[in-house]
Amino acid sequence: MQEEKQEKRQPKKHRWLRFVPQITLGLGLLAAYFSWHDHHRKPTQQELDTALTRYMQGKYAIYGDTLTPVGEGKVVYAPNDLFFPTTNKYELELESEKYPKRSEKETVVLQYNYEENTLRDTYMSFVLREQAEEKFREIFDRIYEPNSYYLVMTVQAAPWKNHDHSAVETVDEYLRYEIQTSIYLCVIRDAVYKDMDMEKLLELVKSQNYGIKAEIFYMNETQYNNEEWKEKWFTTLEFDYEENGLMIWNKGEEDFSVNLWEKD
């Protein structure tokens, strides 16, 4: 009886397999788009973008999300490089219905490297954002009073080139492959403690092996309670605070960067 139940449950575990034809179609169109011969018809850009969208819907079907392209896809160029103007990547941006963006600049980015034949995207940084924020709160709770700060993680602007995130990846697996996680934090705290805080933060993220780019704004209570900054810090960063600091540590590297500024 137990074996029969396991057999019945098994198909549910692999529901994503029914989307393999869509994924295969997407990859086939991509290959055709970038390596056609004269006697073959080149797929239109609309067909290519449709294939990429279907690929994403298939890969992340378990989340029941709707992904909508933002404009048309484009070949990614490196304008500062005169000898290699193209990066050999085609990029499509999408918006998630289930995981809304927190700023206008945030989009799901899918990149197809047609030289290496790889597809990588940033969707899991939307899915796992809240869980990742909780992981970092565990660290910052050891530096600041738990209810004295507001923390936000920004999603990836582009996929990491050496890792393709899985649709069933856990937050621990996600952070294991993240070279650098971008954190913004506003805190009610006297700025005289800033140097000490940065030193402790570096020690803690290294002990957890979390790469980080943290921008921290020190505020008095009046500034913190004026919530207008929550609408501005992703865009202009023009809001009232006492001082701020930026700390960057890329996972696996010995070097780190700490910059401390005083408000003009």
Side-chain angles (χ1 to χ4, degrees), residues 150-166:
Y150 182 82
L151 179 150
V152 169
M153 180 190 103
T154 61
V155 294
Q156 291 172 269
W160 297 117
K161 64 179 181 179
N162 295 323
H163 179 65
D164 178 25
H165 292 289
S166 162

Side-chain angles (χ1 to χ4, degrees), residues 29-81:
L29 274 176
L30 289 170
Y33 188 87
F34 289 105
S35 60
W36 73 93
H37 296 291
D38 291 340
H39 60 282
H40 288 163
R41 181 183 73 83
K42 177 182 176 182
T44 65
Q45 186 170 34
Q46 183 177 358
E47 288 173 327
L48 175 62
D49 290 352
T50 298
L52 284 168
T53 303
R54 287 178 178 173
Y55 163 80
M56 289 290 286
Q57 294 281 17
K59 180 178 179 181
Y60 296 112
I62 59 174
Y63 295 103
D65 198 359
T66 299
L67 293 168
T68 306
V70 179
E72 296 181 334
K74 59 184 181 297
V75 174
V76 181
Y77 290 95
N80 296 329
D81 194 329

